[in-house]
C-alpha cells in the first residue's frame, strides 16, 4: 500500500499502528504491559469525551479519573502485532475500550 | 433543627451547588475546566489536612484520638458489608455492581466532611482536629471489604477473574491514592509545624477556604447534574431509595460507635457525617481497576447525584442534631 | 480628566495588559494555560455577580433597578442595528460579517465593566450594585438582533440557510451560555445571602479580586496581541476606524437613555461603559453556531484587539467624565 | 488490506475510521447527530493548534471556545460510511473543518 | 484502497496523512516549516505521555515544556509527500520524535 | 547555623517538597495538573517581580543596583565555563551533554531564590529588592556560554551542525522566554506603580504567597521524584557528585564577586543562592532547541533531582551563614 515509490527520495517502511482507547485508571497497567512486551515506543493522547456501548462520558463532567479515556498510539512492526495484540486484548477484555490496527509507513526505520 | 436546615439551605455553599445542578440539568454549557477542578480538590485536601494537623499540635493527642481512628476504620470495614446485604435483598443489582456500590458507602466524601465542618462551626460547636485523620483512615478499608465480597460472589458463581493483577500491586495502588497521600501528608505537616506553620500558610489555606469551597461546589453541582441526566435511567426505584436511606443507616452505626468514644458534640457530628457520606473520587477509580465489570453509571450517579445532595442539604443538619442529642 | 487618564494608564491592571500585548507582539512564548484563563473568567463572573447581588441586598430594590434593566435590554437590542447601518454604509464588509460584528458591539465585555468599576471607585464615586444585573441582561439581546439582520439579508439574497438548527435550540444555547448563567446565578446567590454571605466568601471573592484581574488582563493582552498579529491584515481602514468610534456611538446612546433613569454618576458611567464595550466571549461562540460564514478573524480582532484596548485606556476615563458631566 | 492473516491468533475485522476535525462550539451538534445516526461509538480528542484555509489558530490564544477545534474519531462499519458521511458533510458544509476516512482493523467485532 | 465506490453518494478523494510526533519546543519551528512549504493545513494534538528510544516521559511530570511531545497531523496530496517529508525529516533528524505516513480519503477536495 | 538548618528543614515549604518527593518515589498517583503547575509558576514570577520592583520604587536606585546587575551577568556568563571544565575533567559525559549541564548551573532557579528569600526574612535579615532584577538578568547569559562551548567542541570534532536555525532567531527565542518576560515585566510594573500598586495587588500577590509556594513545592517534589525514578540510572558517581558540589563552587564565585559590591547580608545571601542554583525551566527548553543531542535525562535529573533538593535543604542555610560571615 505505502509503496516506497511514493517517496522516491526518502525511503519509507511499512509498519502497523495500534490505537488503543482505554480508561485512564488502566493506562498505567497498559503501559507497563507494553514496556514488558518491549515495544519500541508509544504515545498517549488525552480524550475529551466519547460514547460506546457503556454509555457516554465527558471529561469536564468527571470529578475523578474514573471513566476518563486516553488513546495510546503504538507504531510497531507487522511481525510483532500478534504477540502484542494478544496480551493487550487480554488486559482489556474486562475493561471498557477499543483497539484498532492500521497501516502506516515510517521513515527512520531504526526507530521501530 | 428547622433553623439549622434553613440556615444550611441558604448558605452560599449549598446555593452554589444548586446553581451548578440547575445549570447542568438545563444543559447550560457552563463548565469548570478539569485541571481547575482537580486543583480545587488538591487545595481542599491540603487545607483540611493541614488545619487538622495544626489543631492536633495545639490540643495534644489523647486516647480518644486512637479510639476515633480505630472506630473509623471499623466503620469503613463494616458498612460495605451492611450495604451489600441490603442491596442484595432489596434490589436486583448484579453482585459486582452491588459490591461496588457498597464500597462507596463505606468510604467517605471529603467535601461532605468539609461542608459539615462549616455547619458545625456555624452551630457554635467545636470539633476535634484529628477527625481529619479519621477521615483519611476511612477512605480505603471499605474498598477491601468490597473486593472480598466480590471475590466470594465470584467463587460461588465459579467465575474467578482470570488474568487478575497480583493483589499486592492493587493494594499499593489503593493505599497510595493521591487523595489519601495528600490528606495524610498535609495532616502530618500541619502537626509538625503547628501554630507557626499555620500562620505562614493561613492566608492561602484558611482565609479563602469557604470561597474556594463555593467554586468547588458549583463544579460538584455541574458534575452531579450531568451524571443525573446521563444516568438516572439506570436507577430503578429500590436503588434510588437506597441512595437516600443508606446514609441514615451509616449514620446510625456511627452514632452507636461514637457514644463510648467520648467525642465532643461537634466531633460526633463529623464522625456520623463521615459514615453517612459516600465516596466519589478514590473509590470509583479503585473500582475501575479492581471491579471493571461494575458499572460507573450506577455507583457514580447514586453517590454523587443522590446521596451527596441529600447529605449536603438535609443530612448534615440532621447529623448535627443527632450528635447534639447524643452528647 | 487628564489626571484620570494618567491614573488609569499607570494602574497595574492596564500595565499588565500592556505587558501581555507587548509580549505577544514581540512573539514571546509567555502563555497563560487555557484552563487557567477559563478559571480566571469564572472567578471574575462569580465575584462581580456575587458582589452586585450582595449590594442590592444591602440597598434594597427600587423602580430604578427595573428601569435600568429595561434600558440595558433596549440598548443591547438596538445598538447592533445602528452598528450594522454604519458598517453597511462605510465599509465593504459582507453582510454576514457586518451582522456578526454588530452583535459584538450590542453585547458587553464583562472585563471592561470590571475595569470601569475599579476606576469609578478610584474616582471616589459609588455605583448601584444592580448594574451587574444590567450587564447580564445586555449579553444576549444583541445576538438576536444580529440574527434577525442576517436573516433579512439572506432573504433578500435568496440564500436561506439550509439545514439550519431549529431556532428554539439556538435560543436556548444562547441564553444558557455559561457566562450568563454564572453571572446571574452568583448575583441571585449574593442577593439571597446578603452581607452574611459576603462575609463568608469575601477573602476569596473580594480581597484578591484586583490582583486576579491583573493576571487576567495579562492574558487578555497576550490574546489581543496574538489576535492582532494574526488578524490585522483583515482590518481595512474603515473597519479599523469603526472599532475606535463605535464605542463612542454606543456610549452616546447610553448617555441619552441614562439621563431619565436617575442613576448616580458612578452608575451612569458603568451603563455607558457597558454600551460602549464589545463582547469577546459569549457572542463569538454564538456566532460560530449561528452565523458560521462570518469570519472570526474580523470580529474577534476588532473587538479584542481594537475596541477593548481603546476602552481600557482612553474610553473608561472618558465615560466617567461624561457621566459626571451628565449627573 | 488488513487481511486477518496478519494476526493469525486473534481475528481482526476491517472497519472504517472517520476523523472529523471541527470547531468546539459545533461539537455538541455533531455528537448529537452521531447519536441520532446510531453509530456505535466515538471518541473526542482535543486539538491545540491548527491551520487551514481560514487561517491559523492556537488554543492558548483564545479567550473563548470559538475558533477552537476538536477531533472526533469514529470507527464504524464500511457499510455505514455513506449514510453517516452525508449528514456529517451537510452539518459541516457551512463550518470550518475537515473529514478524513481511513481503513482500520479491529478486534472485538461486537463493539462496532 | 479507498475507492470512491465505498461512498457512492459522496465522492471521496485519496490523500496522505502525515503524523509527526515531536517535542513541544520544536513545534513552532515545524509549523513555520510547514507554512513555508505551503501545505494546505495541519492540526496539532497534545500528547500526555510516551516512550521511545530516548526514554519515557509524562506530561504531568514536567515543570517545563522541554521533553513534552505534540502530534502534528497534516493531510496532503500524495504528489506533495516527498517535497514535504524531506525538509521535515531534516528538521527532525537531530531531534527526538517520529513521522508516519498513511492513506486516507477525504471529502471536500478543495480543502487540500 | 544548626538552628537555621533545623528551622529550614521543618518549614512547611520544605516539608511539602519532601511530601511530593516521597509520594513520587512511592509511586503514588498524586499529581498536580500541568496547567495548574504552569499557573503557579506564573504566579510566583509575577509576585516576586512585582514585589522586587515595588521595593526598588520605595528605596530608590543607587550604584549598587547597577553593580549587582553587572555582577550577576558576569557570574552567569562565567559559571558555565567553570562547570564545563570540571565536567570534562572529572566525568565521561559527552561534550554536548557537559555543555548543556553547564548552562543549567550558570542560569538560576527562581524557586530556590524565593525559598532563600523566605529564609532570609525568617533570619531577620533584609535583602535589596533589586535582586529580582539580578535574577532575571542571570537567566540567559549562561545559555550563550554553553552554546559557544558546544560550537567550539563541534568545530574541533569537525561535526558542524548542519541545518541549524539562524543564530538571531535562537537568541530572540531565548531572551523572550516567558519566564524572563514576566519576571522583568512585573518588576517594571512594580517599580512604576510602587506602594500604591502594591497595596492594590497585595491580597493576591503578597498575602497568600507562602501558601501557594507550598503547593508549588509539593509539585516540584513530585516532579523531582519522578525524574529521579526515571533518570537516576543515568547518573554515574562523578556526575552525581557534581550535582552536590557544583552549587558550592558557584556560591564561592558569587561570594568573591559580592564582597566589593557592598550588598547587605541578605542581599549577599540571595546573590550567592542565585549563583548556586541551577535552572530547570528556561534552560531545558532552550537546550531542546539549541543542543537537541544533549540528553534531558541527565541535565534535568541533575538540576531538579539533585541540586534543587540540596539547595532547598542544606544549601540555603549555608549560603545565609556564609553571607553573614562575609558582611
Ligand atoms: N466505534 C468507536 N469509535 C471510536 N471510539 C469508540 C468507539 N466505540 C467506543 N469508543 C471509545 O471507547 C470508549 C469505551 O467504549 P465501550 O467499551 O464501547 O463503552 C468510548 O467511551 C469511546 O471513547
Ligand atoms: N490539510 C489539513 N491537515 C490537517 N488538518 C487540517 C488540514 N486542513 C485543515 N485542517 C484543520 O481544520 C481546521 C479548519 O480548516 P479550514 O476549514 O481549512 O480552515 C484547521 O484549523 C486545522 O486544524
Ligand atoms: N513506536 C512508537 N509508537 C508511537 N510513538 C512513538 C514510538 N516511538 C516513539 N514514539 C514517540 O516519540 C517520542 C520520542 O521517541 P524517540 O525519539 O524514540 O525517543 C516518544 O516519547 C513517543 O512519544
Ligand atoms: Na461512608
Ligand atoms: Na456594547
Ligand atoms: Na546558578
Amino acid at each position: 500500500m505505502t509503496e516506497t515509490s511514493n517517496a522516491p527520495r526518502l525511503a519509507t517502511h511499512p509498519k502497523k499502528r495500534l490505537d488503543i482507547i482505554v480508561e485512564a485508571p488502566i493506562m498505567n497497567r497498559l503501559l507497563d504491559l507494553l514496556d514488558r512486551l518491549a515495544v519500541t515506543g508509544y504515545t498517549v493522547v488525552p480524550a475529551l469525551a466519547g460514547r460506546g456501548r457503556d454509555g457516554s462520558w465527558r471529561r469536564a463532567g468527571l470529578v475523578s479519573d474514573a471513566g476518563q479515556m486516553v488513546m495510546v498510539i503504538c507504531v510497531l512492526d507487522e511481525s510483532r502485532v500478534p504477540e502484542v495484540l494478544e496480551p493487550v486484548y487480554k488486559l482489556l477484555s474486562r475493561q471498557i475500550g477499543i483497539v484498532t490496527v492500521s497501516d502506516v509507513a515510517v521513515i527512520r526505520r531504526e526507530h521501530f | 433543627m428547622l433553623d439549622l436546615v434553613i440556615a444550611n439551605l441558604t448558605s452560599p455553599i449549598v446555593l452554589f451547588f444548586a446553581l451548578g445542578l440547575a445549570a447542568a440539568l438545563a444543559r447550560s454549557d457552563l463548565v469548570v475546566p478539569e485541571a481547575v477542578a482537580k486543583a480545587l480538590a488538591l487545595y481542599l485536601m491540603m487545607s483540611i489536612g493541614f488545619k487538622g494537623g495544626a489543631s492536633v499540635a495545639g490540643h495534644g493527642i489523647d486516647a480518644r484520638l486512637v479510639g476515633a481512628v480505630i472506630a473509623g476504620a471499623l466503620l469503613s470495614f463494616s458498612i460495605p458489608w451492611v450495604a451489600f446485604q441490603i442491596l442484595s435483598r432489596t434490589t436486583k443489582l448484579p453482585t459486582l455492581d452491588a459490591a461496588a456500590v457498597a464500597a462507596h458507602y463505606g468510604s467517605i466524601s471529603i467535601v461532605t466532611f468539609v461542608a459539615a465542618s462549616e455547619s458545625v462551626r456555624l452551630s457554635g460547636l467545636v470539633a476535634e482536629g484529628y477527625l481529619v485523620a479519621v477521615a483519611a483512615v476511612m477512605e480505603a478499608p471499605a474498598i477491601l471489604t468490597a473486593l472480598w465480597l466480590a471475590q466470594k460472589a465470584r467463587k460461588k458463581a465459579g467465575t474467578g477473574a482470570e488474568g487478575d493483577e497480583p493483589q499486592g500491586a492493587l493494594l499499593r495502588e489503593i493505599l497510595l491514592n493521591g487523595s489519601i497521600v495528600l490528606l495524610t501528608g498535609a495532616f502530618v505537616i500541619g502537626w509538625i509545624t503547628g501554630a507557626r506553620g499555620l500562620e505562614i500558610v493561613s492566608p492561602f489555606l484558611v482565609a479563602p477556604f469557604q470561597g474556594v469551597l463555593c467554586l468547588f461546589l458549583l463544579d460538584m453541582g455541574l458534575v452531579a447534574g450531568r451524571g443525573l441526566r446521563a444516568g438516572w435511567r439506570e436507577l430503578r426505584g429500590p436503588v434510588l431509595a437506597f441512595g437516600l436511606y443508606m446514609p441514615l443507616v451509616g449514620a446510625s452505626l456511627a452514632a452507636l460507635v461514637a457514644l463510648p468514644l467520648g467525642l465532643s458534640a461537634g466531633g460526633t457530628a463529623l464522625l456520623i457525617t463521615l459514615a453517612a457520606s459516600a465516596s466519589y473520587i478514590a473509590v470509583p477509580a479503585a473500582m475501575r481497576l479492581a471491579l471493571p465489570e461494575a458499572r460507573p453509571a450506577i455507583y457514580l450517579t447514586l453517590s454523587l447525584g443522590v446521596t451527596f445532595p441529600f447529605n449536603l442539604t438535609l443530612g448534615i443538619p440532621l447529623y448535627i442534631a443527632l450528635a447534639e442529642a447524643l452528647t
Side-chain angles (χ1 to χ4, degrees), chain A, chain B:
Chain A
M1 177 206 79
T2 48
E3 319 85 83
T4 55
S5 71
N6 291 344
R9 286 181 276 171
L10 207 61
T12 62
H13 313 275
K15 297 279 166 193
K16 289 284 178 184
R17 166 174 161 161
L18 304 188
D19 284 272
I20 309 168
I21 297 179
V22 68
E23 290 175 287
I26 319 295
M27 185 184 76
N28 283 331
R29 287 194 189 166
L30 175 62
L31 301 188
D32 285 351
L33 176 66
L34 293 176
D35 287 348
R36 279 203 304 277
L37 292 168
V39 304
T40 36
Y42 49 74
T43 301
V44 184
V45 165
L48 281 181
R51 196 169 63 73
R53 286 173 318 160
D54 303 283
S56 72
W57 60 276
R58 285 202 59 165
R59 176 160 269 206
L62 300 165
V63 211
S64 77
D65 265 352
Q68 243 171 53
M69 314 290 291
V70 296
M71 186 160 96
V72 178
I73 300 169
C74 179
V75 177
L76 75 181
D77 205 82
E78 181 159 359
S79 64
R80 301 220 50 209
V81 169
E83 60 184 290
V84 168
L85 216 46
E86 198 137 357
V88 166
Y89 176 70
K90 203 169 155 203
L91 173 67
L92 298 189
S93 60
R94 289 166 64 216
Q95 307 288 347
I96 296 173
I98 65 169
V99 184
T100 67
V101 187
S102 58
D103 291 304
V104 296
V106 301
I107 50 175
R108 297 220 252 177
R109 172 190 270 161
E110 71 282 7
H111 251 82
F112 298 92
Chain B
M1 209 200 107
L2 195 67
D3 285 15
L4 207 59
V5 171
I6 289 171
N8 197 47
L9 287 179
T10 61
S11 79
I13 292 172
V14 172
L15 289 173
F16 272 106
F17 178 80
L19 175 60
L21 199 69
L25 291 176
R27 306 195 61 180
S28 163
D29 68 352
L30 182 60
V31 71
V32 175
E34 183 207 358
V36 175
K38 286 193 174 159
L40 294 177
L42 291 180
Y43 172 87
L44 297 185
M45 310 283 190
M46 195 171 160
S47 174
I48 59 172
F50 199 100
K51 287 186 290 188
S55 134
V56 169
H59 294 87
I61 335 172
D62 50 21
R64 270 176 296 190
L65 189 160
V66 181
V69 163
I70 293 175
L74 287 178
L75 282 168
S76 180
F77 270 119
S78 56
I79 289 176
W81 188 84
V82 176
F84 185 78
Q85 299 308 325
I86 297 179
L87 284 169
S88 304
R89 267 140 233 231
T90 64
T91 73
K92 292 183 185 150
L93 277 188
T95 323
L96 294 186
D97 282 332
V101 168
H104 288 71
Y105 283 81
S107 184
I108 59 127
S109 150
I110 205 71
V111 178
T112 311
F113 176 77
V114 165
S117 308
E118 300 295 329
S119 291
V120 161
R121 219 161 40 82
L122 283 179
S123 311
L125 303 175
V126 180
E128 290 81 1
Y130 53 72
L131 276 153
V132 173
V134 178
V137 162
M138 287 179 75
E139 291 234 32
I143 300 172
L144 302 181
T145 303
L147 295 188
W148 170 76
L149 287 167
Q151 219 164 20
K152 256 193 6 182
R154 272 192 186 128
K155 256 194 209 125
K156 220 165 147 190
T159 58
E162 34 127 21
D164 258 1
E165 288 292 300
Q167 294 292 330
L170 186 63
L171 207 68
R172 218 210 54 233
E173 282 176 307
I174 291 173
L175 286 177
L176 289 177
N177 177 284
S179 61
I180 298 180
V181 168
L182 183 50
L183 196 59
T184 315
F187 182 85
V188 172
I189 296 178
W191 197 343
I192 297 177
T193 62
R196 183 179 54 88
L198 193 61
E199 198 197 311
I200 291 178
V201 300
S202 179
F204 177 60
L205 288 182
V206 180
F209 183 80
Q210 289 175 301
V212 176
L213 193 57
C214 288
L215 182 51
F216 190 76
L217 275 157
L218 176 72
D219 184 46
M220 294 278 298
L222 289 167
V223 171
R226 279 193 221 103
L228 277 178
R229 236 176 50 215
W232 68 268
R233 259 170 269 241
E234 309 277 349
L235 298 185
R236 307 275 162 68
V239 178
L240 189 74
F242 175 87
L244 295 171
Y245 67 70
M246 185 62 215
L248 303 179
V249 175
S252 313
L253 290 173
L256 290 180
V257 171
L259 268 183
L261 283 179
L263 289 172
S264 68
T268 306
L270 291 190
L271 185 65
I272 291 176
T273 304
L274 285 173
S277 72
S279 168
Y280 44 79
I281 298 190
V283 177
M287 288 302 113
R288 292 319 299 152
L289 284 168
L291 292 182
E293 300 91 338
R295 285 166 293 167
I298 291 183
Y299 52 69
L300 265 179
T301 312
L302 206 54
S303 155
L304 199 59
V306 178
T307 300
F308 178 73
F310 170 77
N311 276 332
L312 193 65
T313 51
L314 299 178
I316 290 175
L318 201 67
Y319 308 145
I320 295 177
L322 178 60
E324 284 187 312
L326 285 175
T327 51

